């Protein structure tokens, strides 16, 4: 009995000593702040880039549609700030639900000070926008501040030259790349996979719609007075126009967005003119339509005489998930104008799963 009691007491002392030892170590051991950090390596614009996880504070710039991609893959709660005209909040929420209006919106030139102020661990931008470096913000300058940079796939340069043309993959492939990569960056891979399934289903429905014998030629009027800012064969609008059953009048231009002379625009003889609505002012769209109607060489086009203007938010036409919404709305208008056979599809509803 005494022997058993002694063993029991000894065991209790050992256990107690062990607990004290562990407690003591816990109190004095240095905290490894990176212990819960991991990383993921992705291909971004042809380069293998490593991103530190978890990503919690994202500053998203350059275009509204890309912000839509982030929303679609479940990244709303990661957004620390966005560059987005607040008038586009309603457009985003109509597609992806509420929440974007509560995210801080940035105006003007985005500087490193702004980014640091948002405690960003990831900045999303494009080579044609933020990463031009005009404000000192580049992927390299962000890395020097321990902030990762993700370049929107639609804006990848074709070479290392700073003035290189943009666009290294088809617009829908660029969107797929961003959807997949964001899913990995935000830990929402299941949601990203669902988004890809939805995208492919909606694209398949568009591609199944009957084409006209002669596809209508479509002009994108983004902005411009002395010349016209439009989109070439590498941009998101080219993919949108193609699946909607039309042909981009500047499909042969090896670039994403570029400036075209009004003379060149007139010679392209578009059948449909898509007006990009920036959602900046009430008279913005009418001003663009009036500019077309007042120009010699354009006002006599059938598209102008027949009033074949399609007004859609710019938020649907820069690279991002809203592109498929833009394609469906454009297809509906092309059918309405009688420039493509009726598909019998209600383009305002998504295809059934």
């Amino acid at each position: 009995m005494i022997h058993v009691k002694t063993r029991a007491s000894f065991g209790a002392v050992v256990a107690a000593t062990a607990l004290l030892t562990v407690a003591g170590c816990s109190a004095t051991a240095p905290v490894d702040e990176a212990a819960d950090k991991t990383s993921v390596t992705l291909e971004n614009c042809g380069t293998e880039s490593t991103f530190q996880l978890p990503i919690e504070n994202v500053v998203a710039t350059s275009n509204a549609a890309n912000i839509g991609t982030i929303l679609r893959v479940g990244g709303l709660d990661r957004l620390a700030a966005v560059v987005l005209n607040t008038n586009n909040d309603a457009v985003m929420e109509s597609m992806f639900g509420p929440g974007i209006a509560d995210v801080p919106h940035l105006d003007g030139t985005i500087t490193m000070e702004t980014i640091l102020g948002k405690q960003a661990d990831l900045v999303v931008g494009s080579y044609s926008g933020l990463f031009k470096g005009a404000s000192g913000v580049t992927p390299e300058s962000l890395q020097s501040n321990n902030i990762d940079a993700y370049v929107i796939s639609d804006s990848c340069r074709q070479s290392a030259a700073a003035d290189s043309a943009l666009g290294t993959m088809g617009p829908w492939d660029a969107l797929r790349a961003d959807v997949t990569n964001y899913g990995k960056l935000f830990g929402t891979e299941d949601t990203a996979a669902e988004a890809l399934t939805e995208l492919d289903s909606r694209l398949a429905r568009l591609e199944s719609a009957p084409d006209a014998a002669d596809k209508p030629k479509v002009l994108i009027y983004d902005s411009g007075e002395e010349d016209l800012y439009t989109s070439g064969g590498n941009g998101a609008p080219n993919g949108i126009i193609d699946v909607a059953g039309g042909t981009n009048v500047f499909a042969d231009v090896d670039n994403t967005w570029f400036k075209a002379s009004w003379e060149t625009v007139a010679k392209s003889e578009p059948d449909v003119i898509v007006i990009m609505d920036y959602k900046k002012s009430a008279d913005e769209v009418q001003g663009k339509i009036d500019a077309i109607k007042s120009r010699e060489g354009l006002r006599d086009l059938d598209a102008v005489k027949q009033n074949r203007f399609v007004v859609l938010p710019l938020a649907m036409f820069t690279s991002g998930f809203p592109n498929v919404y833009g394609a469906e709305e454009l297809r509906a208008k092309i059918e309405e104008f009688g420039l493509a056979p009726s598909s019998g599809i209600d383009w305002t509803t998504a295809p059934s799963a």
Side-chain angles (χ1 to χ4, degrees), residues 131-268:
F131 295 142
K132 280 182 178 178
S135 64
V137 179
T138 64
E140 294 75 20
S141 66
L142 288 168
Q143 287 291 343
S144 68
N145 284 279
N146 296 316
I147 302 170
D148 287 327
Y150 182 87
V151 180
I152 299 169
S153 297
D154 170 72
S155 81
C156 298
R157 291 194 188 110
Q158 294 181 15
S159 74
D163 60 350
S164 170
L166 305 179
T168 61
M169 61 187 85
W172 298 112
D173 287 336
L175 174 54
R176 290 185 182 95
D178 288 342
V179 168
T180 300
N181 286 343
Y182 290 156
K184 293 177 180 177
L185 290 171
F186 304 146
T188 58
E189 291 179 79
D190 288 347
T191 305
E194 292 170 1
L196 288 177
T197 298
E198 177 190 345
L199 174 65
D200 288 341
S201 176
R202 293 170 74 169
L203 288 178
R205 184 176 67 164
L206 280 159
E207 290 167 347
S208 71
D211 287 330
D214 294 313
K215 291 185 177 183
K217 294 181 292 183
V218 180
L219 169 70
I220 298 293
Y221 183 179
D222 177 276
S223 58
E225 296 180 4
E226 294 183 3
D227 44 28
L228 182 139
Y229 194 55
T230 187
S231 188
N234 302 342
N238 194 71
I240 291 170
I241 293 168
D242 183 54
V243 298
T247 299
N248 179 7
V249 296
F250 291 119
D252 60 343
V253 176
D254 185 22
N255 212 331
T256 52
W257 297 87
F258 72 101
K259 292 180 179 179
S261 69
W262 287 109
E263 182 181 8
T264 303
V265 171
K267 288 180 178 179
S268 72

Side-chain angles (χ1 to χ4, degrees), residues 41-51 127 150-151 156 181:
T41 300
L42 306 173
E43 182 175 321
N44 184 207
C45 287
T47 300
E48 294 291 319
S49 300
T50 299
F51 298 82
Y127 279 132
Y150 182 87
V151 180
C156 298
N181 286 343

Side-chain angles (χ1 to χ4, degrees), residues 12-28:
V13 170
V14 170
T17 302
L19 288 172
L20 288 171
T21 301
V22 171
C25 291
S26 298
T28 59

Side-chain angles (χ1 to χ4, degrees), residues 43-350:
E43 182 175 321
N44 184 207
C45 287
T47 300
E48 294 291 319
S49 300
T50 299
F51 298 82
Q52 296 302 309
L53 304 179
I55 289 171
E56 298 174 334
N57 296 307
V58 179
V59 172
T61 75
S62 295
N63 73 65
N66 179 68
I67 292 169
T69 305
I70 292 174
L71 297 176
R72 181 59 186 87
V73 302
L76 174 64
D77 62 348
R78 314 300 173 90
L79 291 172
V82 294
V83 177
L84 180 69
N85 182 334
T86 55
N87 292 336
N88 275 309
D89 287 351
V91 177
M92 291 292 107
E93 292 187 345
S94 70
M95 292 182 280
F96 308 110
I100 191 62
D102 298 325
V103 176
H105 289 46
L106 302 176
D107 295 317
T109 302
I110 306 307
T111 64
M112 187 64 70
E113 182 180 10
T114 301
I115 292 168
L116 291 172
K118 293 299 178 182
Q119 299 181 312
D121 44 32
L122 176 68
V123 174
V124 176
S126 70
Y127 279 132
S128 57
L130 177 69
F131 295 142
K132 280 182 178 178
S135 64
V137 179
T138 64
E140 294 75 20
S141 66
L142 288 168
Q143 287 291 343
S144 68
N145 284 279
N146 296 316
I147 302 170
D148 287 327
Y150 182 87
V151 180
I152 299 169
S153 297
D154 170 72
S155 81
C156 298
R157 291 194 188 110
Q158 294 181 15
S159 74
D163 60 350
S164 170
L166 305 179
T168 61
M169 61 187 85
W172 298 112
D173 287 336
L175 174 54
R176 290 185 182 95
D178 288 342
V179 168
T180 300
N181 286 343
Y182 290 156
K184 293 177 180 177
L185 290 171
F186 304 146
T188 58
E189 291 179 79
D190 288 347
T191 305
E194 292 170 1
L196 288 177
T197 298
E198 177 190 345
L199 174 65
D200 288 341
S201 176
R202 293 170 74 169
L203 288 178
R205 184 176 67 164
L206 280 159
E207 290 167 347
S208 71
D211 287 330
D214 294 313
K215 291 185 177 183
K217 294 181 292 183
V218 180
L219 169 70
I220 298 293
Y221 183 179
D222 177 276
S223 58
E225 296 180 4
E226 294 183 3
D227 44 28
L228 182 139
Y229 194 55
T230 187
S231 188
N234 302 342
N238 194 71
I240 291 170
I241 293 168
D242 183 54
V243 298
T247 299
N248 179 7
V249 296
F250 291 119
D252 60 343
V253 176
D254 185 22
N255 212 331
T256 52
W257 297 87
F258 72 101
K259 292 180 179 179
S261 69
W262 287 109
E263 182 181 8
T264 303
V265 171
K267 288 180 178 179
S268 72
E269 298 185 335
D271 300 301
V272 178
I273 300 172
V274 180
I275 305 292
M276 296 287 89
D277 184 0
Y278 275 66
K279 301 289 185 180
K280 287 185 176 180
S281 66
D283 58 357
E284 170 201 347
V285 169
Q286 191 57 49
K288 291 178 181 178
I289 292 175
D290 291 343
I292 291 283
K293 289 184 174 181
S294 66
R295 285 194 174 273
E296 186 176 355
L298 291 175
R299 57 180 173 233
D300 293 328
L301 293 174
D302 283 344
V304 177
K305 289 181 177 179
Q306 299 296 324
N307 207 38
R308 293 198 291 261
F309 294 99
V310 180
V311 178
L312 291 171
L314 178 65
M316 288 184 179
F317 276 71
T318 52
S319 181
F321 204 88
N323 293 166
V324 71
Y325 290 85
E328 290 166 346
E329 294 208 25
L330 179 56
R331 173 68 199 203
K333 294 300 291 185
I334 287 175
E335 290 186 19
E336 181 183 319
F337 294 147
L339 298 175
S342 175
S343 61
I345 295 172
D346 179 0
W347 295 107
T348 64
T349 61

